[in-house]
């Protein structure tokens, strides 16, 4: 049993050196970022930006493998899927696609339940969902 615990400890220490290069902050030009009303931006920053922008606030536990792998992979995938920090670089067709998906995403799966376990403040209220859905619908209408 003692050998097993020593091996387990060595493996745990060893995996700490496997990097997941997902920076918390990626340099972004202000003109590339999403421009939305202040109340909408407040909701997005509270509930969406950690995974869907270049401005992530990684918690302390995101430096400890294997949790760091899970956390940083979610951020990497979130940024690849939709990044509000590069919103202006999307063409109108892509913006429209995202705007049309936002209401369904916030009703069914966003923010992720695993994220909400630790980040209770990110939970969207019904008023938040309505505000984001209304904004997305208006923004989509303006693009058409």
């Amino acid at each position: 049993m003692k050998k097993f615990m020593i091996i387990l400890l060595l493996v745990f220490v060893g995996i700490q050196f496997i990097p997941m290069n997902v920076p918390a902050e990626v340099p972004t030009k202000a003109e590339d970022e999403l421009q939305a009303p202040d109340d909408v931006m407040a909701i997005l920053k509270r509930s969406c930006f950690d995974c869907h922008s270049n401005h992530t606030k990684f918690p302390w536990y995101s430096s400890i493998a294997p949790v760091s792998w899970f956390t940083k992979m979610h951020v990497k995938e979130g940024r690849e899927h939709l990044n509000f920090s590069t919103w202006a670089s999307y063409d109108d067709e892509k913006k429209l696609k995202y705007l049309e998906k936002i209401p369904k995403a916030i009703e069914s799966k966003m923010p992720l339940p695993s994220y909400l376990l630790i980040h209770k403040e990110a939970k969207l209220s019904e008023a938040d969902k309505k505000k984001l859905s209304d904004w997305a619908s208006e923004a989509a209408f303006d693009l058409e």
Side-chain angles (χ1 to χ4, degrees):
M1 183 66 167
K2 188 176 180 181
K3 281 185 180 182
F4 176 74
M5 294 304 289
I6 290 171
I7 291 170
L8 192 62
L9 178 64
L10 290 174
V11 167
F12 179 76
V13 170
I15 66 174
Q16 302 310 310
F17 295 99
I18 300 172
M20 277 292 295
N21 296 323
V22 179
E25 287 287 325
V26 177
T28 306
K29 297 176 192 165
E31 61 268 16
D32 290 341
E33 296 195 5
L34 173 72
Q35 302 300 313
D38 290 344
D39 53 348
V40 170
M41 288 300 288
I43 297 168
L44 291 172
K45 285 179 180 179
R46 185 185 81 234
S47 299
C48 309
F49 268 41
D50 272 350
C51 294
H52 294 287
S53 82
N54 291 339
H55 311 291
T56 302
K57 296 178 190 117
F58 283 117
W60 66 269
Y61 57 82
S62 66
S63 298
I64 301 170
V67 175
S68 62
W69 303 339
F70 178 76
T71 304
K72 291 180 179 181
M73 185 56 67
H74 272 275
V75 170
K76 183 176 186 269
E77 290 173 357
R79 286 176 180 170
E80 288 172 358
H81 182 72
L82 167 63
N83 190 332
F84 290 116
S85 295
T86 59
W87 183 259
S89 70
Y90 298 152
D91 61 34
D92 286 352
E93 185 178 329
K94 194 169 187 178
K95 288 177 186 175
L96 188 59
K97 180 182 94 171
Y98 286 130
L99 291 167
E100 289 172 347
K101 287 182 176 183
I102 285 173
K104 184 177 178 187
I106 61 178
E107 281 300 328
S108 62
K109 61 184 176 185
M110 291 291 154
L112 294 174
S114 58
Y115 182 77
L116 293 173
L117 286 173
I118 305 291
H119 303 89
K120 304 244 186 267
E121 74 285 354
K123 184 170 175 48
L124 294 169
S125 68
E126 289 305 314
D128 293 339
K129 291 176 183 181
K130 180 168 180 10
K131 176 71 70 181
L132 289 177
S133 293
D134 290 349
W135 164 76
S137 295
E138 289 173 24
F141 181 77
D142 290 344
L143 284 175
E144 292 178 335

